[in-house]
Amino acid sequence: MHVRVAPPPEQILAELSSILPHLQHSLEAGTAKAHLIWQQHYEGEEMDPWLYSNITRHGAKKELALAGVFADYDTDQLPFSGLSLHTPRPSENGMLHIRIWKHGGADWSELPPPGTSGARLDFFSQEGLATDGISSDGDWNLILLWHLNSNGLLDSLSLACPQGGNSYRAQYYWHVPVPPAITMVPPAAQDAPAPDLNLVLNTPNVSEEPEE
Amino acid sequence: MIVGDRVRQARTIKGLTQKQLADLVGVRQPAVAQFEHGSRQPSPETLEAIAFATAFPVAFFSKEQLTHFPFGTLLFRGKTRMSERERTEAHELAAILYEAIETLAKNIKPLPIKIPLLSDRRPSDAAELTRSAVGLSPHGPVRNLIHHLESAGVCVIAAPKPLSNRDGFSAWTSTNVPVIALSPEKPGDRQRWSATHELGHLVMHRQIKDTTRNLEREADAFAAAFLMPDSSIRPEMGSPTTLVTLARLKPRWGVSIAALAMQASRLGALTDGQLRYLYVQLSKHGWRTQEPENLAIPIERPRAFKKMAELLYGIPVDVRRLAADLALNPGLLKDVLDVQAEGVQQRAKRQNPRVLGFKD
């Protein structure tokens, strides 16, 4: 049997470093939108987590599109009210298939279980990877979870590489926090240096010229 | 014959009390008080001992003071508390450095002072007029802020050691020179904010007509409008404005994320709730005090003092002769020169050291 070894999280985070700031921005924007709509239309009512998640993903999808990142509603086989996107790996052959879901559990490290859905079990066990029917050893399924704070706004993101599971419990190779996106924003480009200050002598030099 | 104030200056900059100085030089405290008051002259041996204890040359103590250098905004109530002793120490250090600049400037063609006096304008209007007066376009980020200030005749002093717990302060001297003194090694965005905040005081508050708390608010509003003009920055804030949006704007505008968030809130790009959320996010990661390394803004350094020294004492500056002419400690002057900007040629030389080739 062919045993697969999951790439380390540092490698995957590095491979995703150009896309993660867009994902964080879009989810921050999406949760802010959901928060605002809830305040405007449903103030005082108990929060409907499904509606809230759907408004969030709608807002996030729009923001991602503005940044040129194509994400689709995750409704095809995995109805988690999330988004899915597929991105080629920059340093390896293969694709990263990312499902973006809301973290629902109380425990940070907890992943949503795959349940009984065959499609979801395949996704968790790293089967059924390819969108085009062709998969390679470099293909990996990943789960990006967005964690909310007590006000319903984005608190943080975490990334997991699932390994399998059952109705009650998910198994994963690793599950790590995603570094805040602002730490990945490229540094400032060096400004053109200022021209020298336009100062000139107005009287004969009080001191002798220095020796050569 | 010594000038009493010089003993007080040297002692204060060294951070000594009269009693501590007295113990170091082998006299009683009232004697030091009398030296400082000018009612008694120290013996040559005592003067040598005072010079040694304070690290100032003997000649310094007989130098007449040139210009009255006021406390200026050091008297304002800042964000952090400052004891009388700390205030005096910061003031004396800046006063000595200003005097050194003033001495060298006697041999230099002066730059015209272009900053306006706008005591009756709103901070945003004053900022717009000041940008225009110093030759900046009304739109876009301010690059090389310190260079623009110096070119507009503002004397910018980079202190070689912290001005107590203040980022900076400003004053108009008795000879009508606008001065901004800045503490060293603050993050670049914070230094630019402090310099612009002090510029706001120079432009709007030469005559104090309000409580210092309100004056501080006005100076902050001036800094925000000067560094981030509403009409240019609003379209860049996008909608919705997130932490990532602001982080991307920081390198371009050279201001902190916290300042960008405040401006976004003022311009209606953020609700109060979103502003609170951003601040919570910044606090959670400790970014209220130190924003992420990757977003660091380079520190800008003033140039005038070093340029004048180069014109008068060569490149590299002959610090020994400069110190002798200014009656200051060469070590102090070297520290001051080290926190000044290099000229274009020296910078190019340092970045591209000459490669020695084979002879043809």
Side-chain angles (χ1 to χ4, degrees):
Chain A
M1 188 185 157
H2 178 58
V3 179
R4 300 188 74 202
V5 179
E10 298 78 21
Q11 182 186 340
I12 295 294
L13 287 170
E15 289 182 20
L16 292 172
S17 61
S18 63
I19 207 173
L20 283 171
H22 295 303
L23 289 168
Q24 186 162 336
H25 165 79
S26 67
L27 288 164
E28 195 181 320
T31 51
K33 185 171 189 172
H35 185 74
L36 198 65
I37 289 174
W38 205 263
Q39 278 186 326
Q40 285 172 347
H41 299 285
Y42 307 102
E43 200 179 357
E45 292 183 31
E46 190 185 347
M47 188 191 286
D48 172 348
W50 289 274
L51 177 57
Y52 202 89
S53 300
N54 278 293
I55 298 171
T56 297
R57 73 169 182 166
H58 176 76
K61 185 172 182 283
K62 270 177 66 175
E63 285 299 317
L64 284 171
L66 287 173
V69 179
F70 180 75
D72 207 353
Y73 293 125
D74 186 8
T75 53
D76 47 359
Q77 296 172 317
L78 300 159
F80 266 124
S81 301
L83 291 166
S84 72
L85 67 88
H86 312 274
T87 182
R89 299 184 66 184
S91 55
E92 308 258 345
N93 278 333
M95 299 282 287
L96 298 176
H97 307 279
I98 308 170
R99 306 284 168 164
I100 304 165
W101 299 327
K102 189 180 90 171
H103 178 259
D107 178 5
W108 182 91
S109 62
E110 201 177 300
L111 283 182
T116 53
S117 152
R120 217 181 298 171
L121 281 163
D122 281 352
F123 181 79
F124 271 75
S125 57
Q126 301 290 342
E127 300 288 336
L129 298 160
T131 50
D132 55 3
I134 305 163
S135 64
S136 79
D137 269 0
D139 280 18
W140 285 95
N141 288 341
L142 300 169
I143 299 168
L144 182 77
L145 292 171
W146 36 285
H147 303 248
L148 293 179
N149 67 15
S150 56
N151 292 322
L153 293 165
L154 184 70
D155 182 67
S156 57
L157 299 178
S158 62
L159 188 70
C161 184
Q163 194 178 13
N166 54 36
S167 306
Y168 309 104
R169 206 166 150 205
Q171 289 178 304
Y172 43 90
Y173 291 105
W174 44 258
H175 179 202
V176 294
V178 173
I182 73 169
T183 61
M184 299 178 214
V185 171
Q190 278 284 12
D191 274 347
D196 206 353
L197 204 57
N198 187 23
L199 292 174
V200 290
L201 293 169
N202 70 349
T203 53
N205 196 339
V206 290
S207 294
E208 292 167 16
E209 282 301 310
E211 288 171 18
E212 286 296 317
Chain B
M1 178 98 172
I2 67 151
V3 177
D5 270 348
R6 294 300 191 187
V7 179
R8 186 183 43 73
Q9 261 187 326
R11 172 181 65 76
T12 310
I13 290 170
K14 192 68 182 169
L16 297 170
T17 61
Q18 287 184 341
K19 173 79 170 67
Q20 286 167 328
L21 179 61
D23 289 346
L24 285 170
V25 303
V27 297
R28 291 173 55 235
Q29 179 269 327
V32 173
Q34 288 170 323
F35 300 152
E36 291 186 2
H37 184 253
S39 51
R40 183 175 164 188
Q41 289 288 308
S43 66
E45 295 75 30
T46 304
L47 182 58
E48 284 277 359
I50 291 172
F52 184 76
T54 56
F56 275 82
V58 169
F60 171 79
F61 296 93
S62 52
K63 211 166 58 155
E64 283 297 330
Q65 272 179 317
L66 297 172
T67 300
H68 171 61
F69 187 80
F71 275 84
T73 59
L74 269 178
L75 296 175
F76 291 10
R77 189 174 157 177
K79 291 186 182 75
T80 47
R81 273 171 177 259
M82 197 176 202
S83 70
E84 189 56 41
R85 186 172 163 179
E86 288 170 330
R87 197 193 318 276
T88 311
E89 194 176 329
H91 173 255
E92 295 299 5
L93 178 61
I96 292 253
L97 299 178
Y98 175 72
E99 197 177 334
I101 293 171
E102 193 183 33
T103 305
L104 298 189
K106 284 178 183 163
N107 303 298
I108 306 291
K109 192 174 166 196
L111 292 174
I113 293 166
K114 294 182 193 161
I115 64 165
L117 289 173
L118 302 164
S119 56
D120 296 325
R121 298 289 188 139
R122 289 187 313 161
S124 54
D125 295 340
E128 192 180 340
L129 290 166
T130 307
R131 273 181 77 119
S132 168
V134 302
L136 288 165
S137 110
H139 310 291
V142 180
R143 305 265 174 237
N144 300 315
L145 170 74
I146 301 292
H147 171 78
H148 282 290
L149 295 181
E150 289 192 302
S151 298
V154 179
C155 173
V156 182
I157 295 171
K161 62 176 193 171
L163 297 164
S164 296
N165 56 9
R166 288 288 283 262
D167 285 2
F169 72 96
S170 60
W172 283 91
T173 68
S174 57
T175 48
N176 293 322
V177 177
V179 182
I180 294 175
L182 297 170
S183 273
E185 305 311 327
K186 297 287 175 193
D189 48 302
R190 188 163 157 183
Q191 177 221 36
R192 281 165 53 86
W193 184 272
S194 300
T196 317
H197 173 102
E198 295 304 331
L199 176 65
H201 282 311
L202 290 171
V203 168
M204 298 186 295
H205 305 143
R206 192 160 185 191
Q207 267 92 45
I208 296 173
K209 294 178 181 171
D210 205 341
T211 62
T212 60
R213 187 187 290 267
N214 285 342
L215 299 182
E216 289 292 294
R217 275 199 204 115
E218 284 189 355
D220 275 338
F222 176 97
F226 189 92
L227 294 171
M228 301 172 279
D230 293 2
S231 58
S232 339
I233 202 160
R234 180 64 186 90
E236 294 188 24
M237 285 182 161
S239 177
T241 306
T242 66
L243 204 50
V244 177
T245 317
L246 299 179
R248 288 193 181 121
L249 292 177
K250 179 177 173 178
R252 174 167 150 72
W253 290 86
V255 290
S256 66
I257 294 175
L260 283 160
M262 280 302 291
Q263 186 73 335
S265 163
R266 202 183 64 72
L267 294 170
L270 287 176
T271 63
D272 289 349
Q274 287 170 318
L275 181 66
R276 266 198 307 279
Y277 164 73
L278 290 182
Y279 277 156
V280 168
Q281 290 288 308
L282 291 174
S283 298
K284 186 175 135 186
H285 298 284
W287 294 330
R288 288 296 294 275
T289 42
Q290 178 92 44
E291 296 192 348
E293 261 321 287
N294 58 310
L295 298 174
I297 304 294
I299 296 170
E300 294 182 28
R301 300 183 187 283
R303 172 79 180 124
F305 180 70
K306 193 168 190 171
K307 175 82 186 265
M308 290 192 280
E310 286 169 357
L311 287 169
L312 295 162
Y313 297 92
I315 303 173
V317 175
D318 184 338
V319 178
R320 203 174 42 81
R321 284 199 307 132
L322 173 68
D325 286 355
L326 295 175
L328 289 174
N329 182 324
L332 172 68
L333 286 170
K334 189 176 174 308
D335 291 345
V336 174
L337 290 168
D338 283 349
V339 292
Q340 295 272 313
E342 290 176 312
V344 177
Q345 282 178 350
Q346 294 102 288
R347 204 162 41 214
K349 207 168 165 182
R350 188 170 45 78
Q351 284 164 356
N352 302 302
R354 189 181 298 166
V355 177
L356 294 176
F358 294 108
K359 275 189 177 177
D360 290 332

